[in-house]
Amino acid sequence: MKIGIIGAGNIGGNLTRRLTALGHEVAVANSRGPETLRELAEETGATPVRAEEAAKGAEVVVVTVPLKAVPDLPSGLLDGAAEGAAVIDTGNYYPRERDGRIAAIEDEGRTESRWTERHLGHPVIKAFNGTYAQDILDRPRPAGDPERIALPVAGDDEAAKAKVRALIDALGFDTVDAGGIDDSWRQQPGTPVYGLRAGAEAVRKALTAASPERPADFRG
């Protein structure tokens, strides 16, 4: 597939490494320009591009930038994506240490990914937000392996969600359907599943155990 990755930090960089290794055609962008991605491109074979070019023709687009940077992404970011493209949101809201207070999330009760979705103007699939970046490289396991980690995946578009779950399976991880984007609070920071390294059944239990009340450490 053609895959666009917007954000080349720990998650974006390691997804670039794994997805190119699987044979996908990856275009990767960051906020500083393609010339700063030369080393990653040489290592992986990915194509460094400007952010507004990353989604061109892509069947999957990964948006993996700090939440506070989402409103500053170029307008029409996803206009050139393939029809039916799945957009993965890996983001998390850290009001105290990075993002500042976002009223729409805290006062209106909007989930973090619903807030991101409205800025992007495109439905998103929430995945990888509670995944340790190094695990993307170090912890893939074949299907059926008892040590295989499961990741929660939330989204409203069932076809896009199925595409993302299949991609995660190919990366070496199981998935658990975590519901729609309005249910994605169950995998936000401070919930039992966030950062959990466990199999599918434990992930399901952790999602069920989540409280809708935002933990104090994740309020601005």
Side-chain angles (χ1 to χ4, degrees):
M1 289 191 296
K2 291 189 73 172
I3 297 176
I5 298 180
I6 300 165
N10 294 332
I11 293 286
N14 284 351
L15 283 174
T16 299
R17 292 177 176 94
R18 291 295 322 286
L19 291 168
T20 51
L22 288 174
H24 296 291
E25 183 181 340
V26 177
V28 61
N30 64 7
S31 61
R32 295 178 295 143
E35 64 279 358
T36 66
L37 295 169
R38 189 173 298 119
E39 286 187 15
L40 181 63
E42 289 174 354
E43 176 191 346
T44 64
T47 303
V49 296
R50 293 167 56 85
E52 52 266 42
E53 300 167 343
K56 186 176 181 180
E59 297 172 63
V60 175
V61 181
V62 183
V63 179
T64 180
V65 301
L67 213 67
K68 68 178 181 179
V70 168
D72 298 325
L73 290 170
S75 61
L77 184 72
L78 303 170
D79 288 352
E83 185 176 352
V87 178
I88 300 174
D89 168 35
T90 77
N92 293 303
Y93 175 47
Y94 300 120
R96 298 191 180 189
E97 58 192 77
R98 186 188 65 194
D99 298 315
R101 191 176 193 280
I102 298 175
I105 292 174
E106 298 208 34
D107 298 340
E108 299 173 24
R110 200 173 297 174
T111 62
E112 297 163 11
S113 285
R114 183 67 78 193
W115 181 86
T116 294
E117 182 179 87
R118 293 189 180 184
H119 278 285
L120 294 176
H122 192 288
V124 303
I125 305 297
K126 190 175 189 73
F128 297 109
N129 73 293
T131 306
Y132 293 99
Q134 195 61 32
D135 287 355
I136 295 170
L137 300 182
D138 294 347
R139 289 180 175 258
R141 297 290 188 275
D145 189 305
E147 294 187 4
R148 201 179 208 222
I149 294 172
L151 310 183
V153 180
D156 299 332
D157 182 332
E158 293 300 325
K161 188 190 289 184
K163 186 182 292 184
V164 171
R165 294 181 72 180
L167 187 64
I168 293 172
D169 177 67
L171 285 166
F173 303 93
D174 286 336
T175 59
V176 171
D177 191 331
I181 288 299
D182 287 335
D183 303 310
S184 63
W185 56 266
R186 294 183 180 274
Q187 66 193 78
Q188 291 178 170
T191 61
V193 82
Y194 184 77
L196 180 66
R197 289 167 163 147
E201 187 55 37
V203 167
R204 289 189 191 96
K205 289 180 178 177
L207 288 166
T208 300
S211 167
E213 184 176 350
R214 183 174 293 277
D217 287 349
F218 296 98
R219 292 200 298 266

